Amino acid sequence: QVQLVESGGGLVQAGGSLRLSCAASGRTFSRYTMGWFRQALGKEREFVSAISGGTIRHSDSVKGRFTISRDNAKNTVYLQMNSLKPEDTAVYYCAAIPQLLFGVLPTALHDYTDWGQGTQVTVSS
């Protein structure tokens, strides 16, 4: 089982930036597929971004504004969020699949086996 701890959330004005971090346990982090999801109040949890090896996928709603990256030496995955909008307000969750994947990365919640506790991001207008 992979332990995941998110950090970096907070309050930011519209148009601003935040960088989320997710620290993972495990000695084979480089072979994990890592994802970011978010859940706004009263809404279902939705896919944001994923990375596996050199393969990246972003949802259409964040494409061009958010960037996912990873540092395997630090067992950490990042989500750089720029040009933030009030509709980006949500709890952001880090998730993992302990497997390297290729091609189109999964976006469904049930594909991810391990989850962090989440970090709140609030974007004010």
Side-chain angles (χ1 to χ4, degrees):
Q1 189 174 4
V2 180
Q3 306 297 321
L4 303 171
V5 179
E6 302 97 335
S7 62
L11 174 64
V12 64
Q13 288 189 329
S17 298
L18 279 176
R19 189 177 78 156
L20 304 183
S21 300
C22 173
S25 64
R27 294 181 291 176
T28 58
F29 177 76
S30 63
R31 285 155 45 188
Y32 296 168
T33 295
M34 300 299 297
W36 286 98
F37 290 75
R38 66 186 181 186
Q39 187 166 17
L41 195 62
K43 295 188 177 181
E44 294 186 351
R45 195 171 299 189
E46 65 175 4
F47 171 79
V48 175
S49 302
I51 184 169
S52 188
T55 303
I56 287 174
R57 184 175 185 178
H58 292 293
S59 68
D60 289 342
S61 62
V62 306
K63 202 171 293 182
R65 299 188 299 122
F66 291 11
T67 302
I68 189 171
S69 62
R70 66 194 299 160
D71 185 337
N72 291 330
K74 296 183 178 179
N75 275 24
T76 301
V77 63
Y78 304 99
L79 186 67
Q80 178 66 45
M81 305 185 295
N82 298 329
S83 302
L84 282 161
K85 305 174 182 180
E87 51 263 44
D88 294 318
T89 295
V91 178
Y92 283 71
Y93 296 91
C94 177
I97 303 171
Q99 182 180 0
L100 192 64
L101 300 176
F102 303 92
V104 179
L105 298 182
T107 63
L109 274 68
H110 64 257
D111 287 320
Y112 291 78
T113 57
D114 301 281
W115 292 82
Q117 294 300 305
T119 185
Q120 176 71 47
V121 172
T122 303
V123 184
S124 63
S125 56

